[in-house]
Amino acid sequence: MSGHVLITGASRGLGRGFVESFAADGWRVEAVSRTPDDLEHIPGVSVHALELTDRKAIATLRTRFAEEKLDLVINNAGTWGPQAQDLGPIDAESWIETFRVNTMVPYYVAEALADPLARAKGTIVTISSGLASIDDNFSGGDYIYRSSKAGVNMVVRSLARDLHIRGITAIALSPGWVRTAMGGDDAPLSIEESIAAMRRTIAGITSRDSGKFLNLDGKSLPW
């Protein structure tokens, strides 16, 4: 089965992995990135150079896809933020900027693309993290990243409630600990392994899953 998917943060890491995987399966892929690099050379991929921290830039997506249907939107763009995130003098501006990317951008992307998603009764998948789990935080620290991802989980929960009437499903999905620039070399999962597992989970999502926080294998994670 193929369809029409839009992926943010598409130029590297998990985003690029999603682009290549969906394109290989014959999906029509919209790749959104600040620096699209060589994505335009992948068959079936349309590239959109966009600064996602610019709300006006995000709003252009509404116009670009005004007559389209989107089966799937993957809110993948994200950042770890600064390295200094443990108890101490955390930089406030860096915290705000991380919230802007991880928490606010997924909302604005979903809001801009609600119409094409509604036409297809589509799904919004927002890439979250196991570190967002409040119930499962036994190590402390990582204040900026944890709080920004816990925040986007609440955004997803509200989107699920508000968009249900339009036939749109919204979930938060953890990719696991993956060997990316953010995850580091010690992570147990390759990008390919994470993408394969997440795609199986995404393929099995129904409207009854809307508002859930899932791991890459489709199991519910504690809030």
Side-chain angles (χ1 to χ4, degrees), residues 106-161:
Y107 167 78
Y108 288 119
V109 169
E111 190 271 337
L113 295 173
D115 286 347
L117 279 162
R119 292 187 196 105
K121 298 293 189 284
T123 298
I124 306 167
V125 173
T126 297
I127 301 302
S128 183
S129 169
L131 291 175
S133 173
I134 295 172
D135 194 55
D136 198 33
N137 182 356
F138 298 105
S139 61
D142 300 328
Y143 286 89
I144 294 177
Y145 185 74
R146 285 183 185 274
S147 60
S148 68
K149 288 297 190 178
V152 83
N153 282 358
M154 181 58 81
V155 168
V156 170
R157 187 81 166 185
S158 289
L159 286 171
R161 298 296 182 264

Side-chain angles (χ1 to χ4, degrees), residues 17-73:
F18 273 124
V19 168
E20 293 174 346
S21 178
F22 278 106
D25 284 346
W27 282 62
R28 182 181 169 197
V29 179
E30 312 292 343
V32 178
S33 174
R34 181 190 297 126
T35 53
D37 297 331
D38 60 345
L39 289 170
E40 66 272 11
H41 300 303
I42 304 174
V45 176
S46 297
V47 174
H48 307 272
L50 213 63
E51 176 50 68
L52 287 173
T53 57
D54 181 349
R55 283 184 59 190
K56 291 182 180 178
I58 294 176
T60 65
L61 293 173
R62 190 191 315 275
T63 302
R64 292 185 194 186
F65 296 98
E67 305 300 324
E68 300 273 6
K69 292 182 180 181
L70 285 170
D71 300 288
L72 178 63
V73 169

Side-chain angles (χ1 to χ4, degrees), residues 87-204:
L87 186 62
I90 295 174
D91 181 67
E93 291 304 315
S94 296
W95 202 333
I96 290 169
E97 184 59 24
T98 304
F99 253 86
R100 191 186 312 279
V101 175
N102 290 353
T103 313
M104 297 170 67
V105 165
Y107 167 78
Y108 288 119
V109 169
E111 190 271 337
L113 295 173
D115 286 347
L117 279 162
R119 292 187 196 105
K121 298 293 189 284
T123 298
I124 306 167
V125 173
T126 297
I127 301 302
S128 183
S129 169
L131 291 175
S133 173
I134 295 172
D135 194 55
D136 198 33
N137 182 356
F138 298 105
S139 61
D142 300 328
Y143 286 89
I144 294 177
Y145 185 74
R146 285 183 185 274
S147 60
S148 68
K149 288 297 190 178
V152 83
N153 282 358
M154 181 58 81
V155 168
V156 170
R157 187 81 166 185
S158 289
L159 286 171
R161 298 296 182 264
D162 292 337
L163 296 176
H164 174 74
I165 194 170
R166 303 191 66 186
I168 299 171
T169 298
I171 68 157
L173 182 61
S174 170
W177 186 12
V178 189
R179 290 191 295 276
T180 62
M182 186 186 299
D185 294 335
D186 293 332
L189 292 171
S190 69
I191 290 173
E192 293 77 13
E193 288 169 332
S194 175
I195 294 295
M198 286 193 288
R199 284 204 56 193
R200 286 192 295 270
T201 293
I202 292 168

